[in-house]
Amino acid sequence: MGQRGSGEGAMKRKHRIIRAYADVKRRYWCDVRVFDTDAQMHRDIKRATREHPGKDCAGMVSEAKRRGTGLFAIMWLNVEDLAGKPTEICAHEATHAAIRYFERRGWTTCMALESQMARHEDAERRHEEKLAYAVGRLTRGVVNGLHRIKVFG
């Protein structure tokens, strides 16, 4: 994942990739691209999605267009922003990833169920629980991966 840097043939890292799973059987995952700087992350988001993230964007999730695999989303994070509020950013982006996971699986998200609460309270609670578990697993996977690649001490 590196590209040639200047001086003494050193390799400059472009980004690192970790994989966070949404399910216990590890069949569905989100690839997490971790950049050293906010600017590097923004450039990659623009290249990969044609979207232009706002200057305050500390991370982003996009649906993985590739079908036929368990890859359901791509997440972008950067070390500069993670230094300030790592858990908040990871949980926020993991929630977006969990919603992409629900969409890939054809499940209804909690937001869509709000209007049906009176008729389907039990179904709403079951889906909310699935979403919470997916967010928890994704956040654990992201944070554990960040530790593994030495972003966090």
Side-chain angles (χ1 to χ4, degrees):
M1 289 297 142
Q3 60 189 35
R4 290 257 176 233
S6 61
E8 301 180 14
M11 292 293 284
K12 181 180 176 186
R13 276 193 309 239
K14 181 179 175 191
H15 66 278
R16 294 159 280 175
I17 297 178
I18 56 179
R19 185 171 278 186
Y21 291 91
D23 62 316
V24 175
K25 294 182 180 177
R26 300 168 65 98
R27 291 182 295 202
Y28 295 92
W29 68 90
C30 171
D31 277 348
V32 183
R33 297 178 181 186
V34 183
F35 293 83
D36 291 328
T37 69
D38 183 66
Q40 291 170 333
M41 180 190 77
H42 282 231
R43 278 193 300 275
D44 194 68
I45 291 170
K46 288 177 193 173
R47 182 197 56 74
T49 68
R50 308 285 188 251
E51 294 181 35
H52 298 276
K55 64 181 174 119
D56 295 331
C57 174
M60 186 174 161
V61 171
S62 181
E63 174 190 8
K65 305 291 187 207
R66 187 176 358 151
R67 299 293 184 193
T69 73
L71 176 64
F72 61 86
I74 307 294
M75 180 186 298
W76 286 266
L77 297 172
N78 73 85
V79 176
E80 287 177 343
D81 288 316
L82 287 169
K85 46 186 179 177
T87 305
E88 181 179 341
I89 292 169
C90 289
H92 179 95
E93 299 308 332
T95 300
H96 289 300
I99 292 168
R100 300 293 82 73
Y101 169 63
F102 265 51
E103 290 170 350
R104 176 63 59 93
R105 300 295 307 268
W107 295 340
T108 305
T109 62
C110 299
M111 288 74 68
L113 287 167
E114 278 182 14
S115 63
Q116 302 172 359
M117 239 163 57
R119 292 180 293 147
H120 301 288
E121 251 182 271
D122 290 338
E124 190 269 337
R125 285 192 185 122
R126 281 194 305 274
H127 283 308
E128 185 173 322
E129 224 24 53
K130 287 179 185 176
L131 178 61
Y133 279 115
V135 169
R137 287 185 197 108
L138 287 163
T139 302
R140 181 183 63 219
V142 170
V143 172
N144 288 347
L146 291 170
H147 279 288
R148 193 172 55 252
I149 64 172
K150 309 278 191 259
V151 171
F152 299 159

